Coordinates of all heavy atoms in Angstrom, one line a residue:
V1 N 5.1 2.4 -0.7 CA 5.5 3.6 -0.1 C 4.6 3.9 1.1 O 3.3 3.8 1.0 CB 5.4 4.8 -1.0 CG1 5.8 6.1 -0.3 CG2 6.4 4.6 -2.2
Q2 N 5.1 4.1 2.3 CA 4.4 4.4 3.5 C 4.7 5.9 3.9 O 5.9 6.2 4.2 CB 4.7 3.4 4.6 CG 4.4 2.0 4.3 CD 4.8 1.0 5.4 OE1 5.2 1.4 6.4 NE2 4.6 -0.3 5.1
W3 N 3.7 6.7 4.0 CA 3.8 8.1 4.4 C 3.1 8.4 5.6 O 1.8 8.2 5.7 CB 3.4 9.0 3.2 CG 3.6 10.5 3.5 CD1 2.6 11.4 4.0 CD2 4.8 11.2 3.4 NE1 3.2 12.6 4.1 CE2 4.5 12.5 3.8 CE3 6.1 10.9 3.1 CZ2 5.5 13.5 3.9 CZ3 7.1 11.9 3.1 CH2 6.8 13.2 3.5
R4 N 3.8 8.8 6.7 CA 3.1 9.0 8.0 C 2.4 10.4 8.0 O 3.1 11.4 7.9 CB 4.2 9.0 9.1 CG 3.5 9.1 10.5 CD 4.5 8.6 11.6 NE 4.8 7.2 11.5 CZ 4.0 6.3 12.0 NH1 2.8 6.6 12.6 NH2 4.3 5.0 11.9
L5 N 1.1 10.3 8.0 CA 0.3 11.5 8.0 C 0.2 12.2 9.4 O 0.1 13.4 9.5 CB -1.1 11.2 7.5 CG -1.2 10.5 6.2 CD1 -2.7 10.1 5.9 CD2 -0.8 11.4 5.1
S6 N 0.3 11.4 10.4 CA 0.2 11.9 11.8 C 0.8 10.8 12.7 O 1.2 9.7 12.2 CB -1.2 12.1 12.2 OG -1.9 10.9 12.5
P7 N 1.0 11.0 14.0 CA 1.5 9.9 14.8 C 0.7 8.6 14.8 O 1.3 7.6 15.1 CB 1.5 10.5 16.2 CG 1.6 12.0 16.0 CD 0.9 12.3 14.7
H8 N -0.5 8.7 14.4 CA -1.4 7.5 14.4 C -2.1 7.2 13.1 O -3.1 6.5 13.1 CB -2.5 7.7 15.5 CG -1.9 8.0 16.9 ND1 -1.1 7.1 17.6 CD2 -2.0 9.1 17.7 CE1 -0.7 7.6 18.7 NE2 -1.3 8.8 18.8
A9 N -1.5 7.7 12.0 CA -2.1 7.4 10.7 C -1.0 7.4 9.6 O -0.2 8.3 9.6 CB -3.1 8.5 10.3
V10 N -1.0 6.3 8.8 CA 0.0 6.1 7.8 C -0.7 5.8 6.4 O -1.6 4.9 6.3 CB 0.9 4.9 8.1 CG1 1.9 4.7 7.0 CG2 1.7 5.2 9.4
L11 N -0.4 6.6 5.4 CA -0.9 6.3 4.1 C 0.0 5.3 3.4 O 1.2 5.4 3.4 CB -0.9 7.6 3.2 CG -1.2 7.5 1.7 CD1 -2.7 7.1 1.6 CD2 -0.9 8.8 1.0
R12 N -0.7 4.2 2.9 CA 0.1 3.1 2.2 C -0.3 3.1 0.8 O -1.5 2.9 0.4 CB -0.2 1.8 2.9 CG 0.1 1.8 4.4 CD -0.2 0.5 5.1 NE 0.7 -0.5 4.7 CZ 0.3 -1.8 4.4 NH1 -1.0 -2.1 4.5 NH2 1.1 -2.7 4.1
L13 N 0.7 3.2 -0.1 CA 0.5 3.0 -1.6 C 1.3 1.8 -2.0 O 2.5 1.8 -2.0 CB 1.0 4.3 -2.3 CG 0.3 5.6 -1.9 CD1 1.0 6.8 -2.5 CD2 -1.2 5.6 -2.2
N14 N 0.6 0.8 -2.5 CA 1.2 -0.5 -2.8 C 0.9 -0.9 -4.2 O -0.2 -0.6 -4.8 CB 0.6 -1.5 -1.8 CG 1.1 -2.9 -2.0 OD1 1.0 -3.5 -3.0 ND2 1.8 -3.4 -0.9
N15 N 1.9 -1.6 -4.8 CA 1.7 -2.2 -6.2 C 2.3 -3.6 -6.2 O 3.4 -3.8 -5.7 CB 2.4 -1.3 -7.2 CG 1.5 -0.4 -7.9 OD1 0.5 -0.8 -8.5 ND2 1.8 0.9 -7.9
G16 N 1.5 -4.5 -6.8 CA 2.0 -5.8 -7.0 C 2.2 -6.1 -8.5 O 1.2 -5.8 -9.3
W17 N 3.3 -6.5 -9.0 CA 3.6 -6.7 -10.4 C 3.9 -8.2 -10.6 O 4.8 -8.8 -10.0 CB 4.8 -5.9 -10.8 CG 4.7 -4.5 -10.4 CD1 5.3 -3.9 -9.3 CD2 4.1 -3.4 -11.1 NE1 5.0 -2.6 -9.3 CE2 4.3 -2.2 -10.4 CE3 3.4 -3.4 -12.3 CZ2 3.8 -1.0 -10.8 CZ3 2.9 -2.1 -12.7 CH2 3.1 -1.0 -12.0
G18 N 3.1 -8.9 -11.5 CA 3.3 -10.3 -11.8 C 4.6 -10.5 -12.5 O 4.9 -9.9 -13.5
L19 N 5.4 -11.5 -12.0 CA 6.6 -11.9 -12.7 C 6.5 -13.2 -13.4 O 7.5 -13.6 -14.1 CB 7.7 -12.0 -11.6 CG 8.0 -10.7 -10.8 CD1 9.1 -11.0 -9.7 CD2 8.4 -9.6 -11.7
T20 N 5.4 -13.9 -13.3 CA 5.2 -15.2 -13.9 C 3.9 -15.2 -14.6 O 3.0 -14.4 -14.3 CB 5.3 -16.4 -12.9 OG1 4.2 -16.2 -11.9 CG2 6.6 -16.4 -12.1
P21 N 3.7 -16.2 -15.5 CA 2.4 -16.2 -16.2 C 1.2 -16.5 -15.3 O 0.0 -16.1 -15.6 CB 2.5 -17.4 -17.2 CG 4.0 -17.5 -17.4 CD 4.6 -17.2 -16.1
H22 N 1.4 -17.1 -14.2 CA 0.3 -17.4 -13.2 C 0.2 -16.2 -12.2 O 1.2 -15.7 -11.8 CB 0.6 -18.7 -12.5 CG 0.7 -19.9 -13.4 ND1 -0.4 -20.5 -13.9 CD2 1.8 -20.5 -13.9 CE1 0.0 -21.5 -14.7 NE2 1.4 -21.5 -14.7
G23 N -1.1 -16.0 -11.8 CA -1.3 -14.9 -10.9 C -1.6 -13.6 -11.5 O -1.4 -13.4 -12.7
P24 N -2.1 -12.6 -10.7 CA -2.4 -11.3 -11.3 C -1.2 -10.6 -11.8 O -0.1 -10.7 -11.3 CB -2.9 -10.5 -10.0 CG -3.4 -11.6 -9.1 CD -2.5 -12.7 -9.3
E25 N -1.4 -9.9 -13.0 CA -0.3 -9.2 -13.6 C -0.1 -7.8 -13.0 O 1.0 -7.2 -13.0 CB -0.5 -9.0 -15.1 CG -1.8 -8.3 -15.4 CD -2.1 -8.3 -16.9 OE1 -2.4 -9.4 -17.4 OE2 -2.1 -7.3 -17.5
W26 N -1.2 -7.3 -12.4 CA -1.1 -6.0 -11.7 C -2.1 -5.9 -10.6 O -3.2 -6.3 -10.8 CB -1.4 -4.9 -12.7 CG -1.2 -3.5 -12.2 CD1 -0.1 -3.0 -11.4 CD2 -2.0 -2.3 -12.4 NE1 -0.3 -1.7 -11.1 CE2 -1.4 -1.2 -11.7 CE3 -3.2 -2.1 -13.1 CZ2 -2.0 0.0 -11.6 CZ3 -3.8 -0.9 -13.0 CH2 -3.2 0.2 -12.3
A27 N -1.6 -5.5 -9.4 CA -2.5 -5.4 -8.2 C -2.2 -4.2 -7.4 O -1.4 -4.3 -6.4 CB -2.4 -6.7 -7.4
P28 N -2.7 -3.0 -7.7 CA -2.4 -1.9 -6.9 C -3.4 -1.8 -5.6 O -4.4 -2.4 -5.6 CB -2.8 -0.7 -7.8 CG -3.8 -1.2 -8.7 CD -3.5 -2.7 -8.9
E29 N -2.9 -1.1 -4.6 CA -3.7 -1.0 -3.3 C -3.4 0.4 -2.7 O -2.3 0.9 -2.8 CB -3.2 -2.1 -2.4 CG -3.8 -2.0 -1.0 CD -3.2 -3.0 0.0 OE1 -2.7 -4.1 -0.5 OE2 -3.1 -2.7 1.2
V30 N -4.4 0.9 -2.1 CA -4.3 2.2 -1.4 C -5.1 2.1 -0.1 O -6.2 1.6 -0.1 CB -4.7 3.4 -2.3 CG1 -6.1 3.3 -2.7 CG2 -4.4 4.7 -1.5
G31 N -4.6 2.6 1.0 CA -5.3 2.6 2.2 C -4.6 3.5 3.3 O -3.5 3.9 3.1
V32 N -5.3 3.7 4.4 CA -4.7 4.4 5.5 C -4.8 3.5 6.7 O -5.8 3.0 7.1 CB -5.5 5.7 5.7 CG1 -4.9 6.4 7.0 CG2 -5.5 6.6 4.5
L33 N -3.6 3.3 7.3 CA -3.5 2.5 8.5 C -3.6 3.4 9.8 O -2.8 4.3 9.9 CB -2.1 1.8 8.5 CG -1.8 0.9 9.7 CD1 -2.7 -0.3 9.7 CD2 -0.3 0.6 9.7
F34 N -4.5 3.1 10.6 CA -4.7 3.8 11.9 C -4.2 3.0 13.0 O -4.5 1.8 13.1 CB -6.2 4.2 12.1 CG -6.8 5.1 11.0 CD1 -7.4 4.5 9.9 CD2 -6.6 6.4 11.1 CE1 -8.0 5.3 8.9 CE2 -7.1 7.2 10.1 CZ -7.8 6.7 9.0
S35 N -3.5 3.6 14.0 CA -3.0 2.9 15.2 C -3.6 3.5 16.4 O -3.7 4.8 16.5 CB -1.5 2.9 15.2 OG -1.0 4.2 15.4
F36 N -4.0 2.7 17.3 CA -4.6 3.2 18.6 C -3.8 2.5 19.7 O -4.1 1.4 20.2 CB -6.1 2.8 18.7 CG -6.9 3.4 17.6 CD1 -7.1 2.7 16.4 CD2 -7.5 4.6 17.7 CE1 -7.9 3.2 15.4 CE2 -8.2 5.2 16.7 CZ -8.5 4.5 15.6

């Protein structure tokens, strides 16, 4: 989910869910993207 906080800032809420036995089973991420 990407939520625009301002014209130059976006909050990003990310989740990765493993679908196979190999690789991470859960990988959440949160951050704010700034554009100049």
Side-chain angles (χ1 to χ4, degrees):
V1 174
Q2 301 179 2
W3 181 259
R4 185 164 294 279
L5 303 173
S6 75
H8 304 298
V10 177
L11 173 66
R12 302 176 71 221
L13 303 173
N14 181 297
N15 262 303
W17 311 93
L19 301 178
T20 62
H22 301 279
E25 61 190 63
W26 186 43
E29 173 187 332
V30 59
V32 177
L33 177 72
F34 299 95
S35 64
F36 301 90

